[in-house]
């Protein structure tokens, strides 16, 4: 354990991006200010209210069971006791986004990296990188769910494998993460619900993903997802819908090697594409879509 240390933005071929120390850090809980706690409290209250009837049942139940404190930033140590008992996962504090291989190695060992710092009050609605609220409120609850917990570990192992195969395999695997872990929807008896962390931690996208006429909502299909580009700077143009976490586990249990080989050099699809072979829940109106900028 070392002390938290956030490095400055550096200029790279992808523009100016924040770079962080890769080590695990102790959560500097005593160092949080009243403003930090207040940001947590406001975001927590706003999202818990918005997510009733919108987030998946499993997510809401897990989040309640975990005992996230509503008005103080939770202590990782407290959550680790609950999580460890439920599924064996542990949270580790980090400075921010990690290099891909480091991230995969944590997941493969059932460790979830959580950014220790929280956004400033003027960033309540949007932040371009993950902070404590996104990681803890958004990602950690489903680690209480045994099936999803196994999926995340499998993803980590799959990531290590893809990393060894090269940049194209990594890109295809990253799309799977994006369209499930970050922006996934699930079909429940009462209707479509959110389970993706990027959605549940965003007030705007919590509503947009389910209620807007603009995006497509399409049944999950592994290879289709892997071919689909995505947006990192706006709401998604397409959401993929799973029927259950068991389905996600089963569909991703196969060896991705042959799939990566098949997809290599193939064309990717625009984020907003709809194919004849898609199982379409809703076809988006496309209103407000930017025409360029898919990743
Ligand atoms: N089955 C995948 C592989 O062979 C690993 C994986 C599982 C990836 C679950 C993502 C999610 O690479
Ligand atoms: Co995330």
């Amino acid at each position: 354990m070392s002390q938290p240390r956030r490095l400055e933005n550096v200029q790279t071929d992808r523009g100016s991006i924040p770079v962080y120390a890769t080590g695990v850090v102790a959560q500097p809980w005593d160092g949080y200010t009243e403003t930090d706690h207040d940001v947590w409290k406001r975001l927590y209250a706003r999202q818990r209210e918005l997510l009733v009837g919108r987030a998946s049942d499993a997510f809401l139940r897990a989040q309640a069971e975990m005992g996230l404190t509503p008005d103080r930033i939770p202590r990782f140590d407290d959550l680790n006791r609950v999580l460890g008992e439920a599924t064996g996962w542990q949270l580790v504090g980090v400075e921010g986004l990690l290099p891909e291989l480091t991230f995969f190695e944590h997941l493969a060992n059932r460790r979830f990296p959580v950014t220790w710092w929280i956004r400033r009050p003027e960033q309540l609605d949007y932040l371009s990188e993950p902070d404590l609220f996104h990681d803890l409120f958004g990602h950690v609850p489903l680690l209480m769910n045994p099936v999803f917990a196994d999926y995340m570990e499998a993803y980590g192992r799959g990531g290590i494998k893809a990393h060894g195969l090269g940049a194209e395999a990594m890109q295809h695997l990253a799309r799977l993460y994006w369209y499930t872990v970050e922006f996934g929807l699930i079909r429940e008896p009462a209707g479509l619900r959110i389970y993706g962390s990027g959605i549940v931690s965003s007030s705007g996208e919590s509503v947009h993903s389910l209620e807007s006429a603009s995006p497509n909502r399409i049944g999950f299909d592994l290879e289709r997802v892997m071919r689909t580009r995505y947006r990192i700077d706006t709401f998604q143009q397409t959401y993929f819908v799973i029927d259950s976490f068991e389905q996600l586990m089963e569909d991703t249990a196969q060896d991705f090697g042959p799939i990566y080989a098949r997809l290599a050099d193939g064309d990717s699809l625009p984020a907003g594409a709809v194919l004849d072979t898609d199982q379409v829940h809703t076809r988006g109106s496309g209103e407000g879509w930017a025409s360029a900028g898919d990743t």
Side-chain angles (χ1 to χ4, degrees):
M1 295 275 186
S2 55
Q3 280 308 298
R5 188 163 49 96
R6 187 177 176 191
L7 308 182
E8 285 312 304
N9 283 13
V10 294
Q11 207 54 41
T12 73
D13 55 355
R14 289 182 302 169
S16 172
I17 59 166
V19 166
Y20 298 93
T22 58
V24 165
V25 298
Q27 183 188 26
W29 200 87
D30 292 326
Y32 292 131
T33 64
E34 279 312 308
T35 306
D36 292 333
H37 288 298
D38 195 57
V39 166
W40 168 267
K41 179 180 168 176
R42 285 159 64 191
L43 286 170
Y44 181 93
R46 183 167 79 175
Q47 284 312 104
R48 279 298 289 182
E49 190 177 323
L50 265 176
L51 291 178
V52 176
R54 290 196 176 93
S56 87
D57 207 46
F59 179 89
L60 291 174
R61 258 186 298 117
Q63 206 176 46
E65 277 169 27
M66 256 174 52
L68 291 178
T69 43
D71 19 287
R72 312 298 285 170
I73 293 174
R75 292 179 188 264
F76 298 169
D77 289 348
D78 291 343
L79 299 177
N80 276 340
R81 274 191 288 277
V82 183
L83 252 185
E85 212 161 290
T87 58
W89 274 79
Q90 292 289 284
L91 312 182
V92 292
V94 293
E95 305 282 2
L97 285 176
L98 295 172
E100 280 144 338
L101 191 55
T102 311
F103 178 65
F104 295 146
E105 279 165 352
H106 280 305
L107 296 187
N109 291 288
R110 287 173 107 84
R111 292 187 303 262
F112 194 82
V114 175
T115 306
W116 68 264
W117 53 268
I118 196 160
R119 67 194 71 182
R120 295 190 304 271
E122 58 282 11
Q123 299 170 305
L124 280 203
D125 294 338
Y126 182 76
L127 190 68
S128 62
E129 54 179 314
D131 71 336
L132 178 140
F133 185 75
H134 168 80
D135 287 339
L136 203 51
F137 186 95
H139 282 282
V140 172
L142 281 181
L143 297 175
M144 295 281 291
N145 178 286
V147 180
F148 198 83
D150 287 349
Y151 175 70
M152 291 297 284
E153 180 194 332
Y155 189 94
R157 277 188 274 111
I160 295 170
K161 184 168 109 188
H163 191 265
L165 291 172
E168 253 190 322
M170 287 282 284
Q171 186 178 49
H172 290 127
L173 187 68
R175 291 183 185 138
L176 174 63
Y177 191 87
W178 191 262
Y179 281 119
T180 60
V181 177
E182 293 289 354
F183 291 96
L185 297 182
I186 185 167
R187 191 157 61 124
E188 292 193 344
L192 295 190
R193 293 288 184 271
I194 306 160
Y195 72 92
S197 317
I199 311 178
V200 295
S201 62
S202 155
S203 61
E205 199 145 6
S206 292
V207 176
H208 176 90
S209 64
L210 293 176
E211 283 146 62
S212 168
S214 158
N216 303 310
R217 299 176 186 88
I218 294 174
F220 177 84
D221 176 277
L222 180 64
E223 285 187 42
R224 162 68 157 101
V225 167
M226 285 188 173
R227 290 165 61 203
T228 310
R229 302 197 295 269
Y230 54 82
R231 310 287 319 191
I232 53 170
D233 54 345
T234 62
F235 292 151
Q236 300 308 306
Q237 296 178 351
T238 300
Y239 299 93
F240 288 96
V241 182
I242 59 170
D243 289 324
S244 64
F245 296 134
E246 284 81 2
Q247 177 207 3
L248 194 54
M249 245 348 241
E250 280 162 26
D251 290 2
T252 55
Q254 59 187 301
D255 178 8
F256 286 4
I259 303 182
Y260 295 143
R262 198 155 55 234
L263 295 180
D265 302 321
D267 287 338
S268 61
L269 296 166
V274 179
L275 310 180
D276 289 345
T277 45
D278 284 339
Q279 183 211 336
V280 178
H281 289 264
T282 51
R283 179 185 277 266
S285 66
E287 201 189 319
W289 288 1
S291 55
D294 295 356
T295 304

